[in-house]
Every structure is written in structure tokens, then in C-alpha cells.
């Protein structure tokens, strides 16, 4: 019997599901059981061509609609997503393995927020009038054209919406390639947009591995590439986009610092560290995986952290009581277990967890290492799993320097009751998305993105509009033209 997660076909192009079984089969594995629940096929060159030519052709008419009309469609799509939140959340859980307890509140809902927010902004996109005596310049905010979105596997619905909603609001069309690990959810976003009244062809989904992503990025018809993925992939995609002088947004990896001063409310700081390391089983790019704790409160902090981490409920992700799910794939589980072994070998102290959980599926126990030092592998490399490194520090100056000593710069957080210090420390940290007495909030109203190797550009907020549009400037002369000859 066909599993309910099996999509009607692999791709969604020009308003309809499209199949081409000549592509490489991609099995979809449910991480909680290891069972294959669906198959999709990687896009063949024919499918890639269909998606790009359709999106190119559809864009001009879409951009000619008023912002109010485009916005209405996006907001209608947001309403449909909210109405179907339960079914979409179940699908997200099948796609990723994340517990339903999370997906019910974090995935289709945040996708709907993006559709609603950018739907609301669509009608407000205007230019400027710049008076120059009797002459003037006016500017127009125009679409870039055809945009490509490429997603990672941790938030397949959210990533499709975070890219699709601002792109469409600005009058662009999009070809979106989900991660080959989680190909299911973006198809539903495409389907819902059509149902909401979007013209066929403005949001298309094609499946495939890096090769398909590469074919999209290098196509001369493409004007912009927005990638969510790892730093090594980001470097390749950025270089390929640069060769064609395309616009880019790069949302990449991190190894973010979370700094806890000894005056902090311990329970809030522990809560921040848990949210910043164990949500989605640690598969979150902005996680604060280097938790710097001031020496005076170290043991108290570790004791409370171990106690609360012990309350995590590992189990069937479809059971709403489960608060901690598996790694997305067996491969990702093995990568994370490799880092845990490295942490032990290099002398870090295991406070809790430290092994695979004794159950079916790709579960790893939430793991906390203490006595971690700056040069240890677990303190330097992005693990993308439930592994928290706790490091000690004494002074503010020292911790800021150590926190910044990384190639990454996605996020940073500070817990303290001293507000002057909080703002000063955040001001000195090299990171794009920061938190004071909180961690990992990502409302659509706030810009999201990294500095240094963690990325280029920003998603969400009014900032995203700048990255999906460009300004045309028009000089208007009222008098005669003077020329030298
Ligand atoms: P990945 O880099 O392996 O893949 C990301 C996407 O890029 C996939 O769809 C993949 O098929 C595609 N891809 C791979 N090679 C390509 C190429 N040469 N050309 C075009 N496309 C190519 O990342 P992943 O393992 O799916 O996701 C985990 C990574 O994503 C982590 O590093 C994480 O930090 C990062 N991430 C960042 C954010 C953010 O917003 N900053 C959010 C989620 C995840």
C-alpha cells in the first residue's frame, strides 16, 4: 500500500505535478523507523528545462500585477497553510523526523507567517522621488526576475516559504530545489500557492542532488540564487553564481557562542542553552553550540542543565508527548556520533548523553560536554546534532575574543542581568542574528542571516525585500539638453 507521505509525483511545474522516472530514484526514509516511505526522482535535464522556461515565461505577467493583488494571493496561501497545519505538520515529521510537538508550532506556521508578512508588504513596495531643481529622478523597485531557491533538510516547509514568499511578493518567479533528504514538504507549498490563486509557473519545485542545484545555478536565465546549506556548498554556489553575475543570498552554517555571565538567571540561561542546542535534535544552523559559562556558576549551571536535559522525552515523533526526535538520516547520526567520540578522545567531560539512544531509528541522546577548550574539534566545527559544548571563562574581554575566534558568524547570545554589559557584549560579537536573555527566536519580522563564512544577505523582515528586488533610477529632464557639440 502506498504510504500517505508519497507525493503524486516528484516535481511541481507550471501549476501541476510532473513525473519523469528517468531521473535517479531518491528514497525518502522516515528517520524514526528507518523505513522507506516514499520515492521521488531527481530532475532530468528535460525537467530542469521545463521548470526554468516555465518560471521565466510566468514572471513578467506576475510582476505586472499590482502588489495588492500579489499580496492577496500570498495571504490566502498563508490561511490555507494554517487551516491544514495538522496535516502539513505530520508530513514535515515524516520528511524530517522532527517531533510533531515541534512541527505543529514551528514549520507550516512559520511558513504561513512568511506568506502573510510578505503578502502584507507586497503593496508597500515603492520608489522615491528625488527633486533636482526643475528636473527630477524617480526610482522604481523592480523584481530581479527568475530566482532559484535551494534548501537544506532541517526546515523544508519553512525554507521554501522564507525564500518563496519574499521572492513572489517582489514580483519574481522561483524554481525551488529542496534538499534531496527532505523532498516532500515544498511540493505542498507549491500546491497551496496554486490553490490560493497564484498563476501557474511562478513557484515550481524540482527534486535532485547537488548536480540539479548546479544546473539551476549556472543557467543564464537565472537572476538570483538563494541557498540554505553548509559553508562548503555555499562557497561552490556563490562562485558559480558570481560567474554569471547573479544576486545571491547565502544562509550557511554556524558555531555560535552563547555567553552566560554569573549574574544571569540560571534557569533562564539553562532554558536558552537547551533551546539553542536541542531543538530539532540540534539540527539548527543558528544553534549556540559553544556555551561559555562564567566560572562562578559553572557547576550550578551544569547540575541544572543535566537535570533538565534528563526530562527530554525521546520517542515516537508522532506522539505529541515526544519532545526529542531522531537525526534526519543514518549518515547524519554517524557524523554526530563521530564528533561525540572525538569530544571524549580530546578530553571533554560527558555531563549527560554521549551515545546513540537504545531504540529504533536514528536517535542520539542529548549530549552535554563540559571542560571543553577552544581548540577541541567539538568547539571548532559545526556538528549539526544534539551536542552542547560548555566552556569556562573568567572575564568579559576574554570571552568576547574567544567567541569571535571562529570562521563563522551566524548567531550569538548573552545571558546577564546587567543590561549595559549585555548591549556592549552583543555590540562586540561578530554575528548577524543575536539574542539577549533568549536564544533562537526567529520571528519573520526580524532580519535573519550571518556574517563572515556564515552567509551573505538576510532573510525575513524588510531586509529580504532588498535581496529580492533592485532599484531602477530614472532621470527626467524638463528643459533642453545641453551638449558640448
Ligand atoms: P548542504 O550544503 O549539504 O546542502 C544544501 C543544499 O544544497 C541541498 O539542497 C543540496 O542538494 C544543494 N547542493 C549541494 N551541492 C550543490 C551544488 N554544487 N550546487 C547547487 N546546490 C548544491 O547542506 P545540508 O546538509 O542540507 O544542511 C545542513 C547545513 O545547512 C548546515 O551547515 C546548516 O548550518 C546549514 N543551514 C543553514 C541555515 C541558515 O539559515 N543559515 C538554515 C538551515 C541549515
Amino acid at each position: 500500500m502506498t504510504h500517505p507521505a508519497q507525493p503524486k509525483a516528484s516535481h511541481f511545474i507550471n501549476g501541476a505535478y510532473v513525473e519523469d522516472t528517468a531521473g535517479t530514484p531518491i528514497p525518502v526514509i522516515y528517520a524514526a523507523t528507518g523505513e522507506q516511505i516514499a520515492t521521488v526522482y531527481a530532475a532530468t535535464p528535460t525537467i530542469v528545462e521545463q521548470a526554468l522556461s516555465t518560471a521565466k515565461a510566468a514572471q513578467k505577467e506576475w510582476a505586472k500585477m499590482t502588489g495588492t493583488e500579489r499580496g492577496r494571493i500570498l495571504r490566502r496561501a498563508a490561511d490555507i497553510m494554517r487551516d491544514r497545519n495538522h496535516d502539513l505538520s505530520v508530513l514535515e515529521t515524516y520528511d524530517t523526523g522532527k517531533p510533531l510537538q515541534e512541527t505543529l508550532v514551528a514549520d507550516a506556521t512559520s511558513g504561513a507567517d512568511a506568506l502573510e508578512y510578505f503578502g502584507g508588504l507586497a503593496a508597500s513596495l515603492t520608489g522615491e522621488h528625488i527633486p533636482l531643481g526643475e528636473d527630477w529622478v524617480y526610482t522604481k523597485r523592480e523584481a530581479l526576475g527568475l530566482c532559484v531557491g535551494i534548501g537544506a533538510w532541517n526546515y523544508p516547509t519553512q525554507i521554501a516559504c522564507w525564500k518563496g514568499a519574499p521572492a513572489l511578493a517582489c514580483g519574481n518567479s522561483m524554481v525551488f530545489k529542496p534538499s534531496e533528504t527532505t523532498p516532500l514538504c515544498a511540493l505542498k507549498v507549491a500546491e497551496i500557492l496554486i490553490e490560493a490563486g497564484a498563476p501557474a509557473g511562478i513557484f515550481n519545485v524540482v527534486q535532485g542532488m547537488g548536480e540539479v542545484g548546479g544546473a539551476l545555478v549556472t543557467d543564464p536565465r537565472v537572476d538570483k540564487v538563494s541557498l540554505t546549506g553548509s559553508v562548503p556548498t555555499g562557497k561552490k554556489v556563490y562562485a558559480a553564481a558570481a560567474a554569471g553575475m547573479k544576486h545571491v543570498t547565502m544562509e550557511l552554517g554556524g558555531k555560535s557562542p552563547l555567553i552566560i555571565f554569573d549574574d544571569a538567571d540560571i534557569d533562564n540561561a539553562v532554558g536558552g542553552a537547551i533551546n539553542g542546542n536541542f531543538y530539532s535534535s540540534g539540527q539548527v544552523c543558528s544553534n549556540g553550540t559553544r556555551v561559555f559559562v562564567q566560572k562562578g556558576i559553572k557547576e550550578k549551571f551544569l547540575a541544572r542543565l543535566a537535570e533538565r536535559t534528563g526530562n527530554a522525552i525521546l520517542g515516537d515523533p508522532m506522539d505529541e508527548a515526544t519532545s526529542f526526535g531522531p537525526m534526519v538520516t543514518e549518515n547524519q547520526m554517524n557524523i554526530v556520533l563521530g564528533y561525540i567520540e572525538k569530544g571524549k578522545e580530546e578530553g571533554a567531560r560527558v555531563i549527560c548523553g554521549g551515545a546513540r539512544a537504545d531504540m529504533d531509528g536514528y536517535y542520539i541522546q542529548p549530549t552535554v560536554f563540559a571542560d571543553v577548550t577552544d581548540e577541541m574539534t567539538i568547539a571548532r566545527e559545526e556538528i549539526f546534532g544534539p551536542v552542547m559544548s560548555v566552556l569556562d571563562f573568567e572575564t568579559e574581554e576574554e570571552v568576547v575574543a574567544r567567541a569571535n575566534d571562529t570562521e563563522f558568524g551566524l548567531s550569538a547570545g548573552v545571558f546577564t542581568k546587567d543590561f549595559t554589559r549585555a548591549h556592549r557584549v552583543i555590540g562586540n560579537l561578530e554575528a548577524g542574528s543575536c539574542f539577549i536573555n533568549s536564544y533562537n527566536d526567529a520571528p519573520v519580522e526580524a532580519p535573519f542571516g550571518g556574517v563572515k563564512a556564515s552567509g551573505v544577505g538576510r532573510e525575513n523582515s524588510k531586509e529580504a525585500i532588498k535581496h529580492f528586488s533592485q532599484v531602477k533610477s530614472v532621470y527626467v529632464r524638463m528643459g533642453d539638453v545641453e551638449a558640448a557639440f
Side-chain angles (χ1 to χ4, degrees):
M1 208 183 83
T2 312
H3 192 278
Q6 174 66 48
K8 280 186 213 149
S10 302
H11 320 287
F12 195 95
I13 299 171
N14 205 17
Y17 277 96
V18 179
E19 191 56 279
D20 182 353
T21 53
T24 310
I26 302 174
V28 185
I29 309 291
Y30 183 37
T33 58
E35 158 205 18
Q36 181 170 343
I37 53 171
T39 308
V40 296
Y41 294 88
T44 54
T46 314
I47 290 287
V48 169
E49 178 53 35
Q50 263 182 40
L52 288 171
S53 54
T54 297
K56 181 79 187 163
Q59 189 264 328
K60 289 266 181 296
E61 287 306 310
W62 175 243
K64 276 187 201 155
M65 287 167 67
T66 67
T68 305
E69 289 167 328
R70 288 198 303 271
R72 192 178 301 134
I73 291 167
L74 297 183
R75 285 184 288 108
R76 218 180 277 140
D79 290 343
I80 299 174
M81 283 192 88
R82 289 211 180 88
D83 287 348
R84 295 198 195 140
N85 184 41
H86 194 272
D87 288 354
L88 293 170
S89 303
V90 168
L91 188 67
E92 175 96 19
T93 292
Y94 277 131
D95 219 2
T96 61
K98 292 185 293 181
L100 197 57
Q101 188 190 90
E102 278 188 23
T103 56
L104 282 170
V105 296
D107 293 284
T109 53
S110 72
D113 284 354
L115 289 161
E116 183 174 5
Y117 178 84
F118 289 106
L121 277 188
S124 72
L125 308 180
T126 56
E128 264 189 305
H129 172 265
I130 305 164
L132 292 163
E134 293 195 335
D135 296 349
W136 74 88
V137 166
Y138 68 91
T139 65
K140 291 175 72 179
R141 188 155 286 281
E142 296 187 337
L144 297 173
L146 167 51
C147 301
V148 160
I150 300 178
W153 41 254
N154 54 349
Y155 285 84
T157 307
Q158 184 187 80
I159 293 172
C161 293
W162 280 18
K163 298 189 188 310
L168 268 47
C170 293
N172 303 286
S173 58
M174 179 164 271
V175 176
F176 184 81
K177 189 197 84 63
S179 163
E180 58 272 32
T181 306
T182 52
L184 306 177
C185 295
L187 291 167
K188 288 287 171 197
V189 175
E191 209 183 302
I192 287 170
L193 279 162
I194 290 293
E195 224 180 304
I202 61 148
F203 187 81
N204 309 278
V205 175
V206 298
Q207 309 293 350
M209 277 70 94
E211 202 186 330
V212 172
L216 295 172
V217 171
T218 49
D219 191 279
R221 287 165 291 185
V222 170
D223 301 289
K224 149 117 200 182
V225 179
S226 176
L227 168 79
T228 297
S230 61
V231 173
T233 303
K235 287 180 179 168
K236 280 189 228 159
V237 172
Y238 199 173
M245 208 58 84
K246 299 176 202 301
H247 296 251
V248 295
T249 300
M250 295 281 144
E251 292 295 350
L252 309 176
K255 190 74 199 175
S256 301
L258 170 56
I259 301 173
I260 299 166
F261 285 95
D262 59 12
D263 66 340
D265 178 293
I266 295 266
D267 257 303
N268 283 336
V270 167
I274 289 173
N275 288 343
N277 281 270
F278 298 142
Y279 203 70
S280 301
S281 298
Q283 303 166 113
V284 179
C285 52
S286 49
N287 272 356
T289 46
R290 289 182 296 144
V291 180
F292 291 92
V293 179
Q294 206 164 16
K295 270 201 167 142
I297 53 163
K298 175 182 168 180
E299 292 307 330
K300 199 168 159 200
F301 176 85
L302 288 173
R304 190 70 185 116
L305 178 62
E307 189 186 333
R308 284 181 56 179
T309 302
N311 295 333
I313 300 172
L314 284 67
D316 174 3
M318 293 297 176
D319 179 349
E320 283 184 49
T322 297
S323 58
F324 190 89
M327 296 288 93
V328 72
T329 57
E330 187 173 15
N331 184 44
Q332 186 62 16
M333 176 185 74
N334 289 329
I335 291 172
V336 176
L337 288 173
Y339 277 111
I340 291 175
E341 284 318 303
K342 262 251 163 342
K344 292 177 185 168
E345 273 164 39
E346 293 181 7
R349 169 163 61 113
V350 177
I351 298 295
C352 53
R356 187 175 176 174
D358 186 18
M359 56 204 286
D360 287 343
Y362 312 133
Y363 291 81
I364 294 179
Q365 298 165 351
T367 297
V368 177
F369 280 109
D371 306 335
V372 177
T373 55
D374 296 347
E375 64 286 351
M376 287 183 188
T377 310
I378 55 169
R380 301 218 68 82
E381 296 181 14
E382 183 183 47
I383 299 174
F384 225 58
V387 183
M388 185 193 307
S389 293
V390 178
L391 304 94
D392 314 337
F393 78 95
E394 286 181 23
T395 70
E396 178 183 321
E397 198 185 4
E398 167 213 336
V399 77
V400 167
R402 289 170 59 199
N404 285 336
D405 182 19
T406 165
E407 63 164 326
F408 300 107
L410 185 50
S411 291
V414 57
F415 275 84
T416 175
K417 290 200 183 97
D418 177 345
F419 261 74
T420 315
R421 174 162 65 189
H423 292 292
R424 186 174 58 235
V425 168
I426 287 294
N428 286 324
L429 290 173
E430 297 161 0
S433 304
C434 299
F435 308 92
I436 293 177
N437 292 334
S438 190
Y439 206 87
N440 260 356
D441 315 75
V444 68
E445 297 87 344
F448 180 80
V451 302
K452 294 158 78 180
S454 290
V456 174
R458 293 292 177 270
E459 295 200 296
N460 288 343
S461 79
K462 290 182 209 152
E463 287 295 313
I465 295 293
K466 295 184 196 156
H467 297 287
F468 277 107
S469 61
Q470 58 196 341
V471 172
K472 176 179 276 174
S473 131
V474 184
Y475 190 105
V476 180
R477 182 174 295 282
M478 297 299 284
D480 294 334
V481 174
E482 281 180 28
F485 52 86

